[in-house]
Amino acid sequence: MTESTFAGLVSRWYEHNARDLPWRKPDVSPWAILVSEVMLQQTPVVRVLPAWHAWLDRWPTPAALAQDSPAEAIRMWGRLGYPRRAVRLRDCAVAIVERHGGAVPDRLDQLLALPGVGTYTARAVAAFAYGQRHPVVDTNVRRVVCRAVAGEPDAGPATRPADLLATEELLPVEPAAAALASAAIMELGALICTARSPRCPACPVESICAWRASGRVAPAGPTRRPQRYAGTDRQVRGLLLGVLREATGPVPHQRLDQVWDDDAQRARALAGLVTDGLVEPVGEASFRLIGDGPPAPVPG
């Protein structure tokens, strides 16, 4: 399969079928794109849209966020899930101000050096904000490339160097066309080449898809199931954070004890929030969001 055939088919499909998302507008800032990419990690678009608008209304630039506290970032993150992303995004804003004068850098090495910015996010910002030629590989892209090129039904749980290489080989040489193709492949995986119910007749590369040609052989192993949420430490962490987000000061331990009956699980979840840098103890019997007020006294 040649890159020109694959990228051309997918890009033409994208131009007529892409979702109208605000972070894809031509005048959107690199900061707004960076925020969207962080928020979209493991979170559906429908939940991200209102949070993205609210975040940028409050902090339209990295400098605006850098001047605010980690606690306010956690509060604004609300119930998007995985709230460490809020703290990392705020740390990233501070680094952008300190290292790059408040402008999101356009070099891949500089993006990778920012706090909380990994392989995927750095390449996504470089491609979607600056029109550069980089393989932008998430779960959707890995699935499309694995099926269309390798003829396999599933790409596995984690991105490997081989995934980056296989995707890069499909990109056009011209940077702007490559950036468009990167967005198109991702959209194809999100809307058409889905994990459980792929819509092959609607796929622009059906005629050259190796998996389709093989008869769409099913995975040999068990299908991955969504992680359970109810009753997990993650649910308890969310309940504790919910109380702390609504508080205007330190929250007594007794108030937090009311959110979950299992003492051991609640204590474990609270300790995890402290370890992750989301919550800090105040004195011997209270807790608050990290940085929510003057420095907490050092025990002892």
Side-chain angles (χ1 to χ4, degrees):
M1 183 186 301
T2 64
E3 56 86 4
S4 58
T5 301
F6 181 88
L9 289 171
V10 177
S11 295
R12 284 192 291 276
W13 169 86
Y14 177 82
E15 289 175 337
H16 295 286
N17 296 278
R19 290 169 291 180
D20 183 18
L21 300 176
W23 44 83
R24 291 175 174 168
K25 302 295 184 184
D27 59 345
V28 74
S29 71
W31 169 242
I33 291 174
L34 174 57
V35 171
S36 75
E37 291 298 340
V38 173
M39 287 186 168
L40 286 165
Q41 295 167 16
Q42 299 178 283
T43 308
V45 167
V46 68
R47 293 183 59 202
V48 167
L49 280 167
W52 183 83
H53 283 294
W55 188 280
L56 290 168
D57 284 344
R58 180 165 181 177
W59 299 307
T61 64
L65 176 56
Q67 293 172 359
D68 222 326
S69 69
E72 287 307 303
I74 297 170
R75 285 194 173 95
M76 280 294 293
W77 197 258
R79 298 187 178 277
L80 276 183
Y82 306 99
R84 276 180 291 179
R85 291 181 293 171
V87 177
R88 289 171 180 166
L89 192 50
R90 191 259 179 186
D91 291 342
C92 182
V94 171
I96 289 171
V97 171
E98 293 177 347
R99 302 174 193 174
H100 306 289
V104 176
D106 60 358
R107 281 174 35 189
L108 183 60
D109 60 334
Q110 293 176 335
L111 287 164
L112 286 166
L114 294 173
V117 174
T119 297
Y120 165 78
T121 303
R123 285 168 172 77
V125 172
F128 303 148
Y130 295 111
Q132 297 177 11
R133 185 182 188 274
H134 295 288
V136 184
V137 181
D138 69 350
T139 300
N140 289 319
V141 171
R142 287 191 297 113
R143 184 171 57 253
V144 170
V145 175
C146 187
R147 286 175 175 173
V149 178
E152 299 292 337
D154 196 355
T159 300
R160 304 163 299 171
D163 296 318
L164 293 171
L165 179 60
T167 303
E168 185 172 17
E169 289 177 347
L170 295 172
L171 298 180
V173 174
E174 201 276 318
L180 175 64
S182 291
I185 298 169
M186 190 176 302
E187 190 78 339
L188 185 68
L191 300 183
I192 302 295
C193 193
T194 57
R196 292 181 178 152
S197 302
R199 299 163 51 205
C200 293
C203 180
V205 295
E206 181 191 17
S207 63
I208 57 175
C209 175
W211 185 53
R212 183 68 166 167
S214 73
R216 286 176 51 175
V217 178
T223 302
R224 293 192 303 274
R225 298 180 182 275
Q227 292 183 347
R228 180 174 61 91
Y229 178 74
T232 63
D233 284 5
R234 186 178 164 214
Q235 181 186 16
V236 182
R237 285 164 59 102
L239 293 171
L240 292 168
L241 273 181
V243 173
L244 292 163
R245 277 198 306 267
E246 296 298 324
T248 57
V251 177
H253 209 306
Q254 295 89 333
R255 172 67 184 88
L256 297 175
D257 289 346
Q258 298 173 22
V259 306
W260 198 254
D261 292 337
D262 187 324
D263 293 344
Q265 188 178 23
R266 187 182 63 251
R268 184 170 64 245
L270 183 58
L273 291 172
V274 173
T275 300
D276 290 344
L278 297 170
V279 171
E280 60 185 358
V282 182
E284 296 183 357
S286 297
F287 293 85
R288 69 185 180 192
L289 295 179
I290 191 75
D292 194 18
V298 178

